[in-house]
Amino acid sequence: MAIAVTPPRGMRDFLPADKALRERSLGIIRESFRAHGFDEIETPVMEDSARLHSGLGGDNEKLAFAVLKRGLSPADVAAAAEQDDLLSLADLGLRFDLTVPLARFYATHRASLPTVFRSIQIAPVWRAERPQKGRYRQFMQCDIDIIGEAGALAEIELITATAATLDRLGLEGCSIRINDRRILSALLAHWGVAAALTERALIVIDKLDKIGVDGVAAELGALGIDAPGLAALLTELGAGGWALGDGLFDGAAPAWLDPKAFADLAALRAALPGVDLVFDPTLVRGMGYYTGTIFEISHPALGYSLGGGGRYDGMIGRFLGTEVPACGFSIGFERIVDLLEADAASADLAVVLVHDKEADPARLVALKRDLVADGLRVRLERRTKNLKALLDRAGEAGYGRFAFVTAETQTAGDLDFKPLGV
């Protein structure tokens, strides 16, 4: 019986060209973040199960992969099943994001960190998702966070660094949608939503890009939220933009619009003149730990976000017992890398030396050594009958040029390089 050789569902292998593109992109992201004064840290891939399920991760807690305790007996499993508490069988879990580990990291190392700490985390996370395009069970996150800065400087720095990074990656047409949890709370209160239903209503509104305004209106109606013309109102809100705040201080703005929160967002917009900042009062961000400003990256070619973040001032206090302001922005690397193209300049520096079976190994290695010393990436390939297939594979692997090693080839200067694909 054949053994399955595909990776686990929702997880992927990467061929050399894909891996090269990912690493080049990660290098650009890392370098750009560091240029803006952020320092990289690393945390374990696992955290205590109790921490991952402490209410800090919102709906993502339901998607956490649990790691069973060692030495469990059938009686332990039966007892947990009888009590409907299978999670009690786990003491660790794979991290489902990088924010909860960061909060724990800061609580652990606070005495060794600056008063305002600017961190980079670039690492894989795991969620038991239903796999689909752009959504995987193992994926890379690229986070920057600022801990200890309560003012708008944190949001300004994060958005500036993220926008600059998108530019460095060559992504054009991106905008950043922005909102504030205070505006969402005021909107729901204006609709008469009971406080007990607030979080459930926000989860529904967060589905706008998946089920549309009619679907959201129907689900809100099922919760007992029956604001007149809800679907039309949601459409109007999503398209209103900054104009919704016109007349904010002379009574002409919508009654639901929190004036202080909107003024704070308008101040951010004024401080970020080079960024396409779009006010969207329907933006939610599903994570339950957000407390103020929230933002997402949008691209005109996609119906989903390319990353996001916001302010989560209450999280770290859960570990320290002392409130510490915090704000973060995460780039959705897996979605972004699909939009990027291979680096032509890197391909030009990658060469293939095609040689006959009888070629002297010592001479081949000497040629390779000289080319590597000149800054090239060099692969040796034995000539085959199907030369085209050989060269096509090399091109797919990121190599841009090739040369034949013949009996007359004595030094690297004797090589006649030709572009692959010609």
Side-chain angles (χ1 to χ4, degrees):
M1 182 176 179
I3 298 174
V5 294
T6 56
R9 190 163 177 260
M11 301 180 184
R12 299 166 293 163
D13 296 324
F14 296 105
L15 292 169
D18 298 323
K19 181 64 174 174
L21 175 60
R22 291 172 68 85
E23 290 302 318
R24 180 180 70 86
S25 304
L26 289 171
I28 291 172
I29 293 170
R30 181 175 278 112
E31 181 182 342
S32 179
F33 285 164
R34 286 181 58 82
H36 285 265
F38 292 82
D39 296 312
E40 189 164 4
I41 64 169
E42 183 173 332
T43 58
V45 302
M46 291 188 287
E47 294 282 347
D48 288 340
S49 179
R51 182 173 301 119
L52 292 173
H53 295 274
S54 60
L56 298 175
D59 277 358
N60 284 334
E61 292 189 4
K62 302 173 185 176
L63 303 176
F65 283 100
V67 179
L68 295 179
K69 298 174 183 176
R70 274 63 60 205
L72 289 172
S73 68
D76 295 327
V77 177
E82 184 178 349
Q83 297 171 18
D84 194 22
D85 186 16
L86 294 179
L87 192 58
S88 66
L89 299 172
D91 56 353
L92 297 171
L94 290 172
R95 61 191 177 203
F96 50 74
D97 73 358
L98 297 176
T99 307
V100 174
L102 174 63
R104 195 272 311 152
F105 173 93
Y106 183 82
T108 302
H109 301 285
R110 185 181 188 185
S112 303
L113 299 173
T115 303
V116 177
F117 179 49
R118 296 167 174 82
S119 76
I120 303 170
Q121 285 190 97
I122 298 178
V125 300
W126 293 265
R127 294 178 192 170
E129 297 269 16
R130 179 178 298 167
Q132 53 188 289
K133 183 176 175 57
R135 192 177 292 273
Y136 307 100
R137 289 179 171 174
Q138 176 180 318
F139 55 96
M140 189 72 68
Q141 281 194 335
C142 304
D143 287 15
I144 47 175
D145 293 80
I146 299 179
I147 301 175
E149 173 55 64
L153 179 61
E155 283 91 333
I156 294 169
E157 282 198 85
L158 290 166
I159 294 173
T160 298
T162 300
T165 301
L166 296 175
D167 287 343
R168 288 277 302 275
L169 288 168
L171 283 177
E172 298 180 351
C174 290
S175 60
I176 296 178
R177 297 161 60 211
I178 193 166
N179 196 15
D180 193 295
R181 279 297 180 109
R182 292 171 293 175
I183 290 174
L184 285 165
S185 296
L187 176 61
L188 293 179
H190 180 71
W191 288 347
V193 178
L197 291 176
T198 295
E199 284 303 317
R200 291 176 62 189
L202 289 177
I203 290 171
V204 173
I205 296 173
D206 196 36
K207 299 179 184 179
L208 268 172
D209 61 341
K210 301 181 182 70
I211 63 176
V213 292
D214 291 331
V216 168
E219 289 198 20
L220 290 176
L223 291 177
I225 302 169
D226 56 356
L230 191 54
L233 180 57
L234 287 168
T235 301
E236 179 184 335
L237 291 178
W242 294 104
L244 289 167
D246 290 348
L248 184 65
F249 300 107
D250 59 14
W256 54 264
L257 188 57
D258 183 297
K260 175 64 168 64
F262 184 83
D264 289 345
L265 295 182
L268 286 178
R269 183 191 188 196
L272 295 161
V275 178
D276 185 8
L277 212 60
V278 179
F279 172 54
D280 183 355
T282 66
L283 175 64
V284 174
R285 300 286 304 160
M287 303 302 279
Y289 50 63
Y290 288 125
T291 57
T293 318
I294 49 178
F295 26 76
E296 278 190 353
I297 305 168
S298 293
H299 189 278
L302 302 173
Y304 45 77
S305 75
L306 294 178
R311 183 165 283 279
Y312 53 98
D313 290 340
M315 181 184 287
I316 295 173
R318 296 277 293 273
F319 296 116
L320 285 177
T322 301
E323 291 303 312
V324 179
C327 194
F329 209 146
S330 178
I331 284 179
F333 179 75
E334 307 298 346
R335 294 176 172 182
I336 281 178
V337 76
D338 288 342
L339 301 175
L340 304 179
E341 297 180 355
D343 182 17
S346 295
D348 195 50
L349 294 175
V351 300
V352 177
L353 300 185
V354 181
H355 61 89
D356 293 329
K357 180 180 179 180
E358 296 76 16
D360 177 17
R363 183 160 59 97
L364 292 174
V365 172
L367 290 169
K368 180 178 181 179
R369 183 174 56 245
D370 290 345
L371 293 172
V372 169
D374 287 338
L376 299 181
R377 177 183 175 214
V378 185
R379 172 185 287 183
L380 298 174
E381 288 282 5
R382 181 181 296 175
R383 187 165 187 162
T384 61
K385 290 183 178 179
N386 192 344
L387 180 61
K388 182 179 184 303
L390 183 154
L391 297 178
D392 285 346
R393 284 195 299 271
E396 291 170 359
Y399 290 83
R401 295 183 294 156
F402 76 100
F404 292 110
V405 179
T406 66
E408 289 74 32
T409 306
Q410 300 300 317
T411 68
D414 298 330
L415 294 167
D416 180 19
F417 283 106
K418 300 175 182 178
L420 281 166
V422 178

